[in-house]
Amino acid sequence: MKDGLYTGILVGARLGVFGANNSEAVKLDFKVISDDDGALSDPVDAAVFLWTTGKAWPYTEEKLEKLGFNGDPENPVFHDVCYELGVTLACKNDTYNGKPQTKWDIHFGKSAPASADAVAGFKAKWAATHPTALKSRPQAPVEEEIPL
């Protein structure tokens, strides 16, 4: 697979000991179904290892939280979207000890909270065209039957 972003459907997860150093990790198994160009004709298996030791733990914890992990390594469950729509995965090809290797990771992108000035500017723009603020979620429109 070429370097890039893909969509993968979560098909399995387990806590185990992996790698040359026999380190503890959560292994997430995915079926990669699409890339930037659309659906793949032949889905590909991919494994993401979220290491639970040392300095890796905060990154692993954050990723598991975002995926909606239930906290039970013996019966792991994640958000439905992981199983139904998929998760964005990053593929990176590299060389490790002189051997080519493909590594997969969860990709959430980078973001930061908006500054107070940005929030105030947004509110002003919105208020200019929407004079009344909604206090709750709007109701979905009711579909009308159209006579044939």
Side-chain angles (χ1 to χ4, degrees):
M1 307 277 313
K2 65 181 180 177
D3 287 3
L5 299 179
Y6 295 82
T7 300
I9 300 293
L10 183 62
V11 295
R14 71 182 180 98
L15 179 65
V17 176
F18 304 95
N21 294 331
N22 292 321
S23 295
E24 185 179 285
V26 175
K27 180 184 179 209
L28 302 175
D29 293 308
F30 291 91
K31 187 66 73 176
V32 179
I33 59 169
S34 66
D35 62 12
D36 289 339
D37 297 325
L40 299 177
S41 57
D42 291 316
V44 175
D45 293 330
V48 172
F49 293 90
L50 301 176
W51 305 102
T52 62
T53 55
K55 294 179 182 178
W57 174 246
Y59 302 101
T60 291
E61 183 179 28
E62 178 184 20
K63 289 175 184 179
L64 291 172
E65 285 174 351
K66 287 182 178 180
L67 294 172
F69 177 54
N70 68 346
D72 183 355
E74 295 174 317
N75 185 31
V77 178
F78 297 84
H79 285 307
D80 289 344
V81 71
C82 299
Y83 306 103
E84 296 168 3
L85 299 175
V87 174
T88 301
L89 303 174
C91 176
K92 176 144 177 61
N93 292 286
D94 211 345
T95 303
Y96 183 72
N97 288 338
K99 297 178 185 175
Q101 190 174 35
T102 300
K103 292 186 179 184
W104 292 91
D105 199 1
I106 307 294
H107 178 78
F108 292 111
K110 303 287 182 199
S111 66
S115 68
D117 288 343
V119 170
F122 178 87
K123 285 181 175 180
K125 285 182 201 175
W126 187 263
T129 56
H130 301 82
T132 57
L134 295 174
K135 300 297 182 201
S136 62
R137 287 183 191 221
Q139 294 292 323
V142 177
E143 289 187 28
E144 296 179 32
E145 287 189 29
I146 301 173
L148 300 176

